[in-house]
Amino acid sequence: MTTVVDDRPAPRRPGARHRDSGPPTAALPPGALPAAILVLIWGGAAAVLALWWVGTPSVAGVAAWFTGAGRITGLLAGYAAPVLVLLMARLPFLERGVGADRLARWHAMGGRYMVSLVLAHVVLIIWGYALTDASGVAGETAEIVFDYPEMLKATIATVLLLGVAGVSARAARRRMRYETWYYLHLATYLAVALGFGHQLANGADFVSRLPARAAWYGLYLGTAALLGWYRLAVPFLADRRHRLQVAEIRPEGPGTVSVYLTGRHLERMKAEPGQFFRLQFLAPGLRWAANPYSLSAPVHPHYLRFTVKDLGGHSAAVARLRPGTRVRAEGPYGAFTAACRRSRKVLLLAAGVGITPLRALFETLPAAPGDLTLVHRVGRPEDLIFRAELEDIAAARGARLHFLVGPRREVGEPLNAHTLNHLVPDLARHDVFLCGPEAMTVTAVSALRAAGVSRRRIHHESFTF
């Protein structure tokens, strides 16, 4: 059955305080930084095309057209490689201003383009050279791979890149653990490094043009420096500063636990509700993986709280951790925060363990009584984690709280436009923070759009990798 709890604003407790009703101010309007980053990326691609244009006075004949197309696709693939690495280098201004979820989607889409460009580059160059030399494709391929400088390494890089693309396909990802996918994905860095040399050794746009070579070195070496600093040095320094360790593992529901971490100078982490950390637990079987977990409560001066559901081997092992286990934490990351907000009224919409970042936002998001609503969808009553906490927060803040409980096969799909409009009056004027499994997110976004909510008011966090 479907259960709806607290259909009206809860009464405020005597003396309870609430935050201001207006949305927070920000240095940039919401969406301005992502748009600026995309303009910068496409501007760089245009500059790469200009590099070819300036260096190519004319194109005559079929062989030259094939070779020219091969040079263009090669240049764009060479440019895309460091850009894609930078998107996932965990640069703070990107993680906070664009959001890890959106960066991951850009990275995945860009990766598909880059693989396509690499394949096109290989085919077009070999074909163009074969036509120029009046030789067979097989013979030309062997000559390029074994006789041209740096080409053997570039061939290995291409094979690695295609392998990473294969394991990154949706069908393959669904069949492997996050940790397995993550470490196989690291082969991308090796592929980029191996493929760099042949661009300068054989690329007609670089061989005799010092400024172009300098710019290409700057792009790749700058990317390597940023990657080393933010993926290696910053986490190491943060670990030395905060000295995090497990203080308590507290059961919250079937297969769900909260992990309390203590450490030093936690306030200096400047973590906001809605953000997440990548946690590396220094325990057998866990020390080589850093998995993302959202804060399930605002940062306390003495502890951080993360809530973990048993969705695989890693999360199941987390539930068995002992107090005192050392933890390395990278973050905070993500733009799923109050800064996304555009309007006075806010709906927090969660499914399952997606309640974790929304629980923290429910306590802290600035809102006047009646302007804040939380809807939590679960299949079973025992899956309602944080129920008492949510009810206390709703009472203290005068917020609306709804629980939608019941298996879909019995109650149908409750996340539809009619139900949401009934639960949340004036829904179209709300900002919506949405978090849950991928299928729920797709269903909820469709329902919200049908209910009249603008796409720019829908903010969501993904659990997929």
Side-chain angles (χ1 to χ4, degrees):
M1 62 180 293
T2 302
T3 303
V4 181
V5 181
D6 293 337
D7 199 29
R8 298 182 301 277
R12 290 181 61 196
R13 290 179 176 175
R17 301 171 60 190
H18 64 81
R19 278 74 173 175
D20 296 333
S21 59
T25 58
L28 289 173
L33 182 60
I37 296 299
L38 288 177
V39 168
L40 183 63
I41 291 173
W42 285 109
V48 168
L49 290 176
L51 179 66
W52 173 83
W53 181 267
V54 171
T56 308
S58 63
V59 180
V62 175
W65 278 106
F66 275 104
T67 303
R71 285 171 55 197
I72 291 173
T73 52
L75 283 169
L76 290 174
Y79 167 71
V83 169
L84 293 177
V85 170
L86 282 174
L87 290 179
M88 302 307 289
R90 299 172 190 169
L91 308 182
F93 83 98
L94 287 181
E95 292 280 347
R96 290 176 179 267
V98 178
D101 186 41
R102 181 181 287 169
L103 289 171
R105 292 198 300 271
W106 288 357
H107 177 81
M109 179 178 65
R112 290 190 286 271
Y113 283 125
M114 188 180 80
V115 171
S116 300
L117 288 168
V118 168
L119 289 174
H121 168 67
V122 170
V123 171
L124 290 167
I125 284 293
I126 291 174
W127 203 344
Y129 282 17
L131 289 174
T132 300
D133 297 340
S135 63
V137 170
E140 193 67 40
T141 301
E143 181 181 353
I144 290 173
V145 171
F146 295 106
D147 295 342
Y148 282 54
E150 301 285 338
M151 280 307 304
L152 192 57
K153 290 193 292 185
T155 303
I156 297 173
T158 302
V159 172
L160 286 174
L161 193 63
L162 294 178
V164 171
V167 301
S168 297
R170 186 180 296 271
R173 293 202 311 267
R174 288 173 175 170
R175 290 176 171 82
M176 67 178 66
R177 299 169 59 207
Y178 171 83
E179 295 80 14
T180 304
W181 170 86
Y182 175 80
Y183 284 109
L184 289 174
H185 210 70
L186 292 180
T188 303
Y189 298 129
L190 179 58
V192 172
L194 289 173
F196 175 71
H198 91 285
Q199 299 176 62
L200 300 180
N202 303 300
D205 300 288
F206 300 109
V207 170
S208 59
R209 300 168 70 183
L210 184 58
R213 292 172 66 89
W216 219 245
Y217 268 114
L219 177 62
Y220 274 77
L221 293 179
T223 297
L226 289 171
L227 187 70
W229 178 251
Y230 286 108
R231 293 293 295 269
L232 299 175
V234 168
F236 173 78
L237 294 173
D239 177 55
R240 300 293 297 174
R241 179 186 304 120
H242 300 296
R243 309 297 293 178
L244 294 175
Q245 61 180 290
V246 175
E248 180 185 359
I249 302 292
R250 182 179 299 176
E252 300 286 1
T256 305
V257 298
S258 282
V259 181
Y260 288 80
L261 304 183
T262 58
R264 303 183 302 187
H265 311 300
L266 300 184
E267 72 286 349
R268 292 172 62 182
M269 288 184 162
K270 298 181 180 179
E272 300 178 46
Q275 291 189 307
F276 70 93
F277 286 78
R278 289 183 172 90
L279 302 181
Q280 182 181 9
F281 299 96
L282 304 186
L286 296 175
R287 66 176 62 247
W288 299 112
N291 284 32
Y293 294 109
S294 295
L295 289 163
S296 60
V299 174
H300 188 275
H302 302 299
Y303 65 83
L304 305 175
R305 188 179 79 173
F306 302 89
T307 301
V308 181
K309 186 173 179 62
D310 182 1
L311 298 174
H314 187 278
S315 50
V318 169
R320 299 189 295 269
L321 288 171
R322 295 171 178 264
T325 301
R326 291 270 291 110
V327 184
R328 290 177 181 152
E330 297 180 38
Y333 297 129
F336 193 64
T337 68
C340 296
R341 182 181 175 191
R342 297 170 181 265
S343 58
R344 181 170 57 88
K345 296 176 180 291
V346 177
L347 166 64
L348 307 176
L349 182 56
V353 77
I355 189 63
T356 51
L358 299 185
R359 152 64 183 85
L361 285 168
F362 193 47
E363 181 178 347
T364 60
L365 198 70
D371 286 344
L372 180 62
T373 304
L374 187 146
V375 175
H376 187 194
R377 167 77 176 113
V378 294
R380 305 176 301 170
E382 55 267 33
D383 293 329
L384 283 173
I385 62 173
F386 306 139
R387 178 168 185 167
E389 292 183 23
L390 295 172
E391 290 173 343
D392 286 345
I393 293 169
R397 304 198 62 192
R400 292 184 173 90
L401 176 63
H402 307 291
F403 297 120
L404 304 181
V405 185
R408 186 180 304 172
R409 64 179 179 275
E410 295 179 9
V411 303
E413 177 51 70
L415 297 181
N416 57 67
H418 175 75
T419 300
L420 292 175
N421 268 318
H422 172 71
L423 294 175
V424 188
D426 201 18
L427 175 58
R429 297 178 61 187
H430 283 64
D431 268 63
V432 181
F433 289 75
L434 171 64
C435 190
E438 183 179 16
M440 171 268 186
T441 299
V442 172
T443 299
V445 168
S446 177
L448 290 166
R449 297 288 291 125
V453 181
S454 169
R455 188 174 296 278
R456 65 189 180 88
R457 293 179 183 266
I458 302 174
H459 321 287
H460 59 87
E461 187 96 314
S462 173
F463 282 137
T464 59
F465 64 89

